[in-house]
Amino acid sequence: DGTFHIHDCGITYPHPGFKGADTNRQTVHLEYLVSGKEYFECDGKKYYVAAGYSLIVPNHVNVSYYSDPKDPCTRLWFSVWGDYPDALVSTFFPDEKLIIRKCNLYNLFDDFLSDIKKGSCDRCFAAHTLLEIILQMAGVSAAPSAENEESLESQIKQYIDSHLSEKLSLKLLSDKFFVSEKTLVCIFSDTAGVENNNVCIFSFSCRL
C-alpha cells in the first residue's frame, strides 16, 4: 500500500548536446537505454550507461547526466513519487545511490509509455510495471561503480600517455571526456593519493 503517482515520462531521442541535472529530487527516476551511451555524475563519481542497460535514480539522490556526443542515446524513461516507490527501492537496493543493471526491460518500458500515450494506463498497471522492473533488476548483479571509474581512468591515462608532448590541463581533460574537474581529481586521488592540481594527474599517469 501507500501513495503512488506518475510524475512524468517520455522518450529522449539522440541529440549530441543532451544534458541535464536533477537537484532536490523528490521522485524515483527509471530509464532504459535503447541505444547510444549516457553518463551520470553523482557524489564526485562518474558512471556510464550503455544500450541494453536499465537505471534507477532513487528519491533525494542528485545527479547530472550527459549523452555521449559521439554516440548520443535514445532512452525510455518515467518518474514516479510516493511512499510505494520509495519503499520498493529502499527495500531492494538499500545501499545504492544509482542502480545500474545490464537488464533488457525494453518491453516493460515501451508498454508502459504506450499505455500512457493512449491514456489507458491506470494506477494499478503502473504500480505493477514498477514492481516488475524492480524485481527484474534486483535479480541481476550490480555493475560496480569501480568498473565505470576504471574504464574512465584507463581512457584518460591512455590519452595523457599519447599526448605527453602537448600542454595538458584538468580543463582540457574535462572537456575531452565530458566530466567535471572535480570528478577527475576524485578518480585519481582515490587511486593514487594525489592532490588537487594539474601536475599530479600527469605524474600518476607516467608512473603506471
Side-chain angles (χ1 to χ4, degrees), residues 166-174 181 184 198 201-202:
E166 301 176 15
K167 185 177 181 180
L168 300 176
S169 68
L170 282 176
K171 184 178 187 308
L172 184 149
L173 294 175
S174 175
E181 293 182 22
L184 283 171
N198 296 5
I201 291 181
F202 308 141

Side-chain angles (χ1 to χ4, degrees), residues 143-168:
S145 60
E147 286 186 0
N148 294 280
E149 291 179 27
E150 287 171 4
S151 175
L152 178 62
E153 176 190 314
S154 176
Q155 292 177 50
I156 296 171
K157 176 187 176 296
Q158 290 176 21
Y159 180 84
I160 292 172
D161 287 344
S162 61
H163 294 80
L164 287 175
S165 62
E166 301 176 15
K167 185 177 181 180
L168 300 176

